[in-house]
């Protein structure tokens, strides 16, 4: 929601405060292995349905209506005399948001500093689904400890345009990678008796005019690109809730969109949980009620203070039902879905609910692990990295090196229990052995260009040091409390272009000229135009926003105590003009509509098919060791295939490789992308160790959505199986006719 619209009033959320402050200091060790995936509720879905029906029979119309719209900034009403509590939600998606109590301003002096996990795109860069589960478990556990029932995450919108201000919260341009990562995340959250809320459904791929832009795309693009992540979150992850997005889809607002919610989500996919509207995304009582939304959340509708009963799914609904103008079953169905979520999370039903934990050592370790596996080594010429014991002095340069990011970006803000910046991480790791200087290099301020005095200072420091490390890139709003048009990676606004802000091009070029042993570390939610200097740069790292232990993980990677294994989940184009949303499609559209003429050609599907060279390709990421691939076997089955190959660590350092499998159909009836990711496996190998990897592809891996027949189809014929270390570093090729 837009902060500027929010009234300033808040009530202390006393219920959770006392419980929570005791937890805030605890440091119990909790390992990933302790988390259990099994369904927590002791009841079957049939039993839950019967219990819900009995409860609903005991409720008045007013009580039911109270449950289907917000009654404070993040809660909806319960029915106390029936033992039904309020449903308490919170953002999400990489930590539990700062506390707002019942209002819209942050509570002062509330002990809400918690675990700040790496952002979504960093999690996806690990290509490690078990870390998705670990991540979700931490989030669910902390949410539970803070008294929350629903965590508003994961965010899984497709990264269509490099400029989307919220790309940092999302995961990838590729539906397959998202589908694999999201399942663990959802199961992890829900293993802690907290509901995940997968968002923003659907086609919310830009922040520009997000409140009203009408997205038009082909059915094929919808089915092949924009929906699979959501489907996996619901069907494979079992997400209990889903958030309807702000934008319109084919003329109807997403949070009240019959096709998306009733037809696809509920009928086709069999979703049993509750659809929660994005905050203020319901625009009409009748469409809200009839088209599939179950809970209307919102901001202030321009009233101060807010009268929540005036929400579209508030008093009006009770009046319509009582006067016979709306059937009561419509309300009952929504209440039943909300009660279902409550039973599944053991909020009601009598089973013991997990208590959750806050700021444990285990949570911090998970944050570090995700950062370590999510940071991507993009370039490493002349093996400039890792830095060895010969390096006696380092000039750390750049505002981002010493900048905390946790409170940036909008609704995903987290007050971190602590946040290790890159500079701090480096000092802690090697400060006793290496002489470390720090200069700012550039200023973060509105329209700030190069600052010659800061550049001169950085150049002088770089000349004196063995190695210069510049930490720059994008940043969140330059004042933590500001998330408006001045911010880059932020909700509610897109980036104006892909150019490096704050005169960083000039800084990097000057420092590289002064010291050829320069490593550039980029933070941010996605690509930046680095064409002015990247060809000269020897060492380049993409660090995203790596969470509270990001500085520790980065320092370990720089100095060789950790071996990088992250891979890009999104293509880095050379320039903005190369991006398919801009080249083929429309972005950001006109004042009413954005046409996705780019269709299925999102990310590498475009770059590969249209033969455009990216700056760094999808799936790219280097290691300090080397991996060889050998002995590919493809065994075709009945419209399936089993692909087996060996990966060996031939270097001298232990490391992990993400082996990727792409499929290409040789002869096409309908145009298809050059190749598509259909399998991957991350293997951890000691020096000299080899592992045989088996990837099984079912019929879905070979199908496409035929717009003409409106069906998933497979054209029999020859398929190529491309196995490699990235989408453009294919090491083995096999063939099979299916
Ligand atoms: C955002 C959601 C968020 C909600 C509640 C909205 O503005 O789009 O992602 O969960 O606010 O803070």
């Amino acid at each position: 929601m837009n902060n500027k619209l929010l009234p300033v009033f808040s009530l202390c959320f006393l219920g959770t405060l006392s419980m929570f402050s005791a937890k805030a200091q605890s440091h119990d060790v909790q390992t990933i292995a302790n988390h259990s995936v099994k369904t927590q509720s002791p009841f079957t879905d049939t039993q839950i349905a019967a219990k819900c029906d009995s409860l609903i029979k005991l409720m008045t119309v007013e009580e039911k209506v109270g449950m289907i719209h917000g009654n404070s900034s993040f809660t909806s009403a319960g029915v106390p005399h029936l033992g039904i509590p309020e449903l308490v939600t919170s953002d999400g998606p990489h930590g539990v948001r700062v506390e707002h109590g019942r209002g819209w301003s942050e509570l002062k002096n509330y002990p809400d500093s918690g675990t700040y996990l790496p952002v979504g795109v960093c999690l996806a860069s690990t290509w490690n689904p078990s870390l998705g589960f670990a991540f979700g478990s931490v989030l669910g556990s902390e949410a539970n400890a803070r008294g929350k029932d629903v965590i508003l995450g994961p965010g899984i919108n497709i990264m269509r345009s490099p400029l989307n201000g919220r790309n940092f919260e999302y995961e990838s341009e590729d539906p397959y990678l998202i589908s694999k990562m999201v399942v663990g995340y959802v199961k992890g959250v829900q293993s802690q008796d907290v509901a995940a809320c997968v968002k923003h459904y659907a086609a919310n791929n830009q922040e520009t005019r997000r409140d009203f832009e009408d997205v038009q795309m082909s059915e094929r693009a919808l089915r092949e690109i924009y929906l699979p992540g959501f489907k996996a979150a619901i069907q494979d992850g079992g997400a209990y809730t889903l958030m309807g997005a702000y934008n319109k889809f084919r003329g109807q607002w997403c949070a009240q969109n019959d096709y998306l919610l009733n037809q696809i989500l509920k009928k086709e996919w069999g979703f049993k949980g509750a659809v929660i509207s994005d905050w203020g995304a319901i625009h009409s009582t009748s469409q809200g009620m009839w088209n599939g939304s179950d809970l209307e959340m919102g901001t202030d509708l321009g009233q101060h203070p807010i009268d929540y009963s005036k929400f579209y799914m508030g008093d009006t609904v009770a009046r319509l039902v009582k006067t016979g103008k709306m059937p009561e079953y419509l309300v009952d169905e929504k209440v039943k879905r909300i009660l279902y979520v409550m039973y599944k999370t053991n909020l009601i039903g009598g089973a013991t609910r997990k208590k959750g934990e806050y700021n444990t050592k285990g949570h911090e370790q998970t944050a570090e692990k995700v950062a370590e596996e999510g940071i991507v080594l993009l370039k490493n010429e002349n093996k400039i990295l890792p830095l060895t014991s010969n390096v006696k002095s380092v000039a750390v340069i750049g505002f981002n090196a010493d900048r905390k990011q946790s409170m940036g970006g909008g609704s995903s803000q987290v007050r971190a229990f602590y946040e290790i910046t890159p500079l701090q991480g480096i000092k802690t790791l090697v400060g006793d052995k290496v002489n470390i200087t720090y200069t700012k290099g550039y200023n973060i301020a509105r329209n700030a260009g190069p600052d010659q005095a800061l550049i001169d200072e950085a150049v002088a420091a770089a000349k004196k040091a063995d190695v210069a490390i510049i930490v720059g890139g994008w940043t969140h709003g330059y004042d933590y409390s500001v998330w408006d048009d001045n911010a880059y990676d932020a909700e509610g606004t897109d980036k104006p272009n892909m150019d490096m802000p704050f005169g960083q091009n000039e800084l990097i070029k000057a420092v590289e000229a002064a010291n050829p042993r320069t490593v550039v570390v980029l933070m941010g939610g996605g690509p930046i135009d680095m064409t002015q200097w990247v060809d000269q740069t020897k060492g380049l790292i993409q660090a995203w926003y790596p969470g509270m232990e990001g500085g520790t993980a980065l320092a370990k990677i720089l100095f060789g105590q950790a071996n990088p294994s992250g891979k890009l989940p999104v293509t880095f184009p050379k320039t903005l003009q190369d991006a398919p949303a801009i080249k083929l499609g429309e972005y950001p559209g006109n004042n009413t509509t954005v046409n996705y003429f780019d269709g299925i050609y999102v990310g590498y599907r475009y770059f590969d098919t249209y033969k455009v060279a990216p700056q760094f390709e999808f799936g790219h990421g280097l290691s300090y060791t080397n991996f060889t691939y050998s002995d590919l076997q493809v065994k075709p089955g009945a419209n399936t295939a089993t692909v087996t190959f060996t990966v060996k660590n031939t270097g001298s350092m232990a490391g992990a490789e993400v082996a990727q499998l792409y499929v290409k159909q040789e002869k096409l009836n309908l145009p298809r992308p050059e190749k598509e990711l259909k399998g991957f496996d991350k293997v951890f190998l000691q020096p000299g160790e080899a592992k045989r990897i088996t990837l099984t592809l079912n019929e879905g891996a070979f199908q496409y959505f035929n717009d003409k027949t409106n069906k998933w189809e497979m054209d029999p014929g020859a398929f190529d199986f491309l196995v490699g270390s990235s989408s453009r570093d294919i090491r083995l090729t096999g063939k099979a006719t299916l």
Side-chain angles (χ1 to χ4, degrees):
M1 72 242 78
N2 184 344
N3 251 357
K4 285 176 219 147
L5 298 175
L6 305 178
V8 182
F9 84 103
S10 58
L11 292 169
C12 206
F13 203 16
L14 289 172
T16 50
L17 181 60
S18 50
M19 168 278 302
F20 165 58
S21 41
K23 293 263 174 216
Q25 305 307 324
S26 95
H27 273 283
D28 317 320
V29 176
Q30 187 188 3
T31 60
I32 296 168
N34 285 344
H35 299 297
S36 130
V37 215
K38 65 177 192 297
T39 309
Q40 306 299 310
S41 170
F43 308 112
T44 63
D45 282 2
T46 317
Q47 287 170 325
I48 291 177
K51 283 170 180 292
C52 292
D53 289 338
S54 317
L55 271 176
I56 289 169
K57 285 203 184 94
L58 303 174
M59 292 182 195
T60 64
V61 172
E62 284 77 8
E63 284 169 344
K64 292 189 257 192
V65 169
M67 288 184 69
I68 66 168
H69 67 85
N71 70 343
S72 86
S73 49
F74 288 98
T75 60
S76 54
V79 186
H81 74 95
L82 295 176
I84 301 169
E86 287 188 330
L87 187 72
V88 185
T89 68
S90 170
D91 290 289
H94 45 259
V96 187
R97 189 178 179 178
V98 294
E99 194 59 48
H100 288 74
R102 304 190 74 83
W104 282 109
S105 5
E106 282 173 30
L107 298 188
K108 296 264 178 297
N109 303 319
Y110 189 91
D112 56 1
S113 41
T115 297
Y116 165 43
L117 291 153
V119 296
V121 62
C122 184
L123 173 64
S125 301
T126 68
W127 293 56
N128 183 344
S130 68
L131 279 184
F133 181 75
F135 183 108
S137 304
V138 170
L139 192 56
S141 174
E142 300 232 336
N144 196 335
R146 279 267 301 278
K148 315 297 182 193
D149 311 317
V150 180
I151 195 85
L152 305 172
I156 59 162
N157 292 93
I158 290 284
M159 294 179 179
R160 173 178 180 257
S161 162
L163 301 185
N164 182 0
R166 292 186 90 170
N167 277 345
F168 73 99
E169 286 184 67
Y170 300 151
E171 301 203 340
S172 176
E173 68 189 20
D174 181 73
Y176 181 82
L177 179 59
I178 295 174
S179 303
K180 292 294 149 197
M181 295 304 296
V182 76
V183 171
Y185 180 125
V186 167
K187 286 189 171 170
V189 168
Q190 297 189 166
S191 73
Q192 300 303 307
D193 287 351
V194 166
C197 182
V198 50
K199 69 188 188 186
H200 307 88
Y201 183 76
N204 181 183
N205 309 100
Q206 63 188 54
E207 290 299 279
T208 305
R209 300 189 279 272
R210 68 171 176 173
D211 294 328
F212 55 88
E213 195 84 279
D214 183 15
V215 175
Q216 297 285 343
M217 68 168 87
S218 68
E219 191 65 14
R220 184 171 181 197
L222 180 70
R223 298 290 179 158
E224 289 189 18
I225 306 291
Y226 294 93
L227 291 189
F230 289 100
K231 188 176 180 199
I234 301 305
Q235 291 193 332
D236 304 335
Y240 301 147
T241 77
L242 167 144
M243 187 184 290
Y246 281 129
N247 51 291
K248 287 181 183 166
F249 178 77
R250 296 187 186 152
Q252 204 165 51
W253 270 291
C254 289
Q256 46 185 59
N257 190 299
D258 178 65
Y259 185 57
L260 291 176
L261 298 175
N262 283 337
Q263 308 310 325
I264 296 180
L265 175 73
K266 291 183 174 176
K267 279 200 196 125
E268 262 184 52
W269 299 350
F271 177 62
K272 289 187 182 155
V275 174
I276 302 177
S277 79
D278 202 340
W279 270 232
I282 296 289
H283 297 267
S284 123
T285 297
S286 113
Q287 288 196 10
M289 290 300 291
W290 284 103
N291 291 357
S293 205
D294 300 305
L295 171 55
E296 177 190 7
M297 295 303 287
T299 52
D300 64 352
L301 297 176
Q303 307 151 4
H304 309 274
I306 307 174
D307 180 354
Y308 287 96
S309 68
K310 298 273 184 320
F311 272 26
Y312 293 102
M313 286 162 64
D315 281 359
T316 309
V317 173
R319 190 168 35 79
L320 290 174
V321 169
K322 287 185 148 175
T323 52
K325 293 187 180 125
M326 184 175 277
E328 196 163 348
Y329 73 77
L330 210 52
V331 184
D332 291 356
E333 205 237 320
K334 297 176 197 308
V335 171
K336 190 167 178 177
R337 287 172 176 274
I338 294 165
L339 289 173
Y340 172 83
V341 175
M342 291 182 166
Y343 274 108
K344 291 301 257 189
T345 51
N346 292 323
L347 197 52
I348 55 176
T352 312
R353 190 177 186 211
K354 283 194 178 156
K355 286 200 166 56
E357 292 184 299
Y358 214 67
N359 285 324
T360 67
K361 268 275 167 272
H363 292 183
E364 291 156 12
Q365 283 162 1
T366 299
E368 185 182 333
K369 192 82 198 125
V370 174
E372 193 184 296
E373 287 196 31
I375 290 172
V376 184
L377 177 61
L378 293 174
K379 256 191 113 173
N380 194 17
E381 279 182 11
N382 308 337
K383 297 208 168 141
I384 187 174
L385 290 170
L387 304 176
T388 62
S389 51
N390 298 335
V391 173
K392 300 289 178 220
S393 57
V394 167
V396 178
I397 298 163
F399 209 130
N400 272 353
D402 198 25
R403 182 172 169 76
K404 293 186 176 165
Q405 304 281 3
S406 58
M407 286 288 277
S411 58
S412 63
Q413 60 177 193
V414 177
R415 200 187 317 280
F417 190 47
Y418 61 82
E419 180 177 347
I420 311 286
T421 63
L423 178 62
Q424 212 181 326
I426 294 168
K427 280 187 177 163
T428 307
L429 192 74
V430 295
D432 56 341
K433 302 182 252 336
V434 178
N435 179 32
I436 297 159
T437 59
Y438 173 66
T439 57
K440 214 160 61 158
Y442 62 95
N443 267 319
I444 295 179
R446 186 193 298 265
N447 298 329
D451 182 321
Q452 202 49 53
L454 290 179
I455 293 178
D456 292 346
E457 195 189 6
V459 163
K463 273 188 181 153
K464 277 193 228 135
D466 292 340
V467 170
I469 300 172
I470 304 176
V471 187
W474 299 114
T475 199
H476 288 309
Y478 58 78
D479 173 333
Y480 296 159
S481 59
V482 174
W483 40 291
D484 55 18
D485 325 41
N486 305 315
Y488 287 102
D489 283 315
E491 181 180 344
T493 177
D494 286 344
K495 293 165 188 153
N497 51 50
M498 237 174 74
D499 301 344
M500 277 207 113
F502 317 130
Q504 292 180 77
N505 282 325
E506 289 76 4
L507 171 75
I508 294 173
K509 285 188 278 187
V511 170
E512 287 186 337
N515 189 339
R517 291 183 77 189
T518 295
V519 175
V520 177
V521 177
L522 295 171
M523 305 192 73
I528 205 160
D529 185 332
M530 48 184 105
T531 46
Q532 289 197 32
W533 44 267
V534 69
D535 290 342
Q536 284 73 54
T537 302
K538 299 209 167 55
L540 181 61
I541 288 177
Q542 180 64 37
W544 316 112
Y545 298 108
M548 71 198 294
E549 284 288 357
T552 311
L554 177 66
K556 285 187 178 171
I557 285 174
L558 287 166
F559 289 90
Q561 292 193 19
N563 194 351
S565 63
K567 301 272 187 181
L568 289 182
V570 57
T571 307
F572 278 20
K574 286 188 176 159
T575 66
L576 180 61
Q577 280 61 44
D578 287 342
I582 282 112
K583 199 107 182 196
L584 300 182
E586 287 180 352
Y587 168 86
N590 59 30
N591 264 329
T592 53
T593 311
V594 48
N595 288 296
Y596 286 17
F597 294 133
D598 38 328
I600 55 170
Y601 296 103
V602 174
Y604 68 90
R605 286 169 168 75
Y606 165 77
F607 286 86
D608 291 354
T609 312
Y610 286 76
K611 315 267 180 271
V612 178
Q615 190 69 65
F616 293 105
E617 75 271 18
F618 177 81
H620 170 73
L622 304 171
S623 165
Y624 294 148
T625 189
N626 295 313
F627 300 99
T628 57
Y629 287 66
S630 63
D631 302 322
L632 176 68
Q633 273 188 347
V634 180
K635 259 203 207 146
N639 295 344
T640 61
T642 308
V643 179
T644 318
F645 54 94
T646 301
V647 177
K648 182 173 183 184
N649 180 350
T650 55
S652 53
M653 191 176 180
E657 170 72 330
V658 179
Q660 301 160 41
L661 168 62
Y662 296 84
V663 171
K664 172 184 176 161
Q665 177 147 29
E666 291 195 352
K667 261 199 168 160
L668 305 174
N669 285 347
L670 275 190
R672 295 189 76 169
E674 174 68 18
K675 59 177 175 297
E676 294 181 274
L677 182 72
K678 295 297 175 187
F680 65 86
D681 195 11
K682 187 164 192 173
V683 277
F684 296 79
L685 298 170
Q686 294 301 318
E689 191 186 353
K691 262 188 200 155
R692 196 90 185 127
I693 295 177
T694 300
L695 299 172
T696 309
L697 305 187
N698 61 22
E699 189 173 4
F702 308 101
Q703 289 176 323
Y704 60 90
F705 191 85
N706 188 334
D707 263 325
K708 300 193 176 102
T709 58
N710 219 29
K711 278 202 301 251
W712 285 97
E713 284 175 7
M714 176 179 163
D715 294 333
F719 288 86
D720 294 342
F721 297 80
L722 315 166
V723 175
S725 183
S726 85
S727 61
R728 290 187 170 223
D729 183 4
I730 299 301
R731 308 284 184 85
L732 303 168
T733 306
K735 260 189 214 311
T737 301
L738 301 177

